[in-house]
Amino acid sequence: MALRREPHVLVVGGSDSSGGAGIARDIETISSIGVRTCLAVTAVTVQTHDAGMEIHPSQPDLVADQMRAALQANEVAVIKIGMLATAEIVVAVAAVLRENPQVPAVLDPVLASTSGRALLDARAIAAMKCDLMPLCRLVTPNLIELALFIGSELAVDEDGAVWQGQELLVAGMQALLIKGGHASGLRSTDILLRLDQEPIRFDMPRLAVSMRGTGCMLASAIAAHLAKTSLEDSVRKGKLFVFGKLQKAAE
């Protein structure tokens, strides 16, 4: 089937019955960029736009088996990871990433819902930091998540956020995109950090509205564009291969 050969983003995350966040947002975002998705559902939640009432985590083995089936069925170019719910699911997802080191992963470390409900306990946060985050091409924490990961107070300015991000990088991360949505001021600045490189800032006017699912959308958009880049590279290599064969035949 042609579908199998099209680049997919494997979305690993929880459902949101309101449709405001989670895998519903992921699929919408990735599809809008022209990339297909496949799924591994980590939890089923009962939510409105104002509150989260129930969380029912999947069994860790079931999450891992969903991921393996999706990877076997499709040409998965990127894995986008969102809500993981338990430490055991974090470890299971990390195990599948180790089995597939050729597939880059983008992690949105969902530690709490917009309404304030905790979605990962301290043990799961530690597992994410030690076992999962070093395996990911990019991690996209907001300022609250960044502070929790390094056990510090919330950064009060950009310099503080950069310092906290660098502390996390030296723990083995590949790259961080620190989101500035929880900061104050008229401008919102996201900061890309990589080891031994200067920070890159993405500065935009702050919207005067509150929105859910923005973290899901950002990480999903990055994953989708990585998948498209992977496809373009493959096409380019294929054209070079064909050109080389034609050139040899002409000699």
Side-chain angles (χ1 to χ4, degrees):
M1 291 177 63
L3 178 62
R4 292 171 182 244
R5 297 193 295 273
E6 293 184 42
H8 285 62
V9 173
L10 168 54
V11 174
V12 181
S15 72
D16 177 346
S17 48
S18 74
I23 56 177
R25 278 284 193 216
D26 296 328
I27 295 168
E28 287 175 353
T29 303
I30 293 165
S31 297
S32 73
I33 296 168
V35 179
R36 292 188 176 275
T37 56
C38 45
L39 298 174
V41 180
T42 61
V44 175
T45 72
V46 179
Q47 295 187 65
T48 66
H49 293 303
D50 302 311
M53 284 81 81
E54 296 181 43
I55 301 173
H56 300 276
S58 302
Q59 290 297 317
D61 288 348
L62 177 61
V63 175
D65 287 345
Q66 289 178 82
M67 292 178 68
R68 293 185 181 108
L71 286 157
Q72 180 180 346
N74 303 298
E75 187 66 38
V76 174
V78 183
I79 300 172
K80 186 273 174 178
I81 305 168
M83 175 187 176
L84 295 179
T86 69
E88 291 75 18
I89 292 175
V90 172
V91 171
V93 170
V96 177
L97 293 193
R98 289 192 194 94
E99 294 167 9
N100 299 273
Q102 78 284 1
V103 183
V106 176
L107 170 64
D108 177 21
V110 183
L111 305 187
S113 66
T114 302
S115 62
R117 179 167 182 164
L119 299 177
L120 278 183
D121 61 22
R123 190 168 63 92
I125 292 172
M128 180 176 284
K129 180 178 176 180
C130 296
D131 296 333
L132 180 61
M133 289 169 64
L135 301 174
C136 296
R137 177 74 58 86
L138 179 68
V139 182
T140 63
N142 61 36
L143 294 175
I144 297 171
E145 292 158 348
L146 181 62
L148 284 170
F149 279 127
I150 69 165
S152 179
E153 296 294 321
L154 191 70
V156 297
D157 54 27
E158 286 185 26
D159 289 341
V162 169
W163 179 84
Q164 290 185 353
Q166 288 171 338
E167 288 290 301
L168 199 52
L169 274 181
V170 298
M173 310 305 137
Q174 297 180 39
L176 297 175
L177 181 64
I178 303 169
K179 297 176 291 193
H182 286 81
S184 58
L186 297 176
R187 309 286 295 181
S188 179
T189 304
D190 297 342
I191 306 170
L192 177 63
L193 294 180
R194 293 164 292 178
L195 274 177
D196 303 321
Q197 298 191 42
E198 287 297 311
I200 299 175
R201 288 170 168 80
F202 304 91
D203 184 69
M204 295 291 288
R206 188 178 300 279
L207 298 177
V209 294
S210 178
M211 292 180 62
R212 295 182 60 233
T214 53
C216 303
M217 294 168 69
L218 176 61
S220 292
I222 293 169
H225 282 292
L226 279 174
K228 290 191 82 170
T229 300
S230 173
L231 174 63
E232 289 164 4
D233 287 345
S234 297
V235 170
R236 193 178 302 111
K237 288 175 183 175
K239 285 180 178 177
L240 287 173
F241 175 76
V242 171
F243 178 74
K245 295 282 281 186
L246 291 171
Q247 197 174 40
K248 270 198 164 185
E251 290 175 350

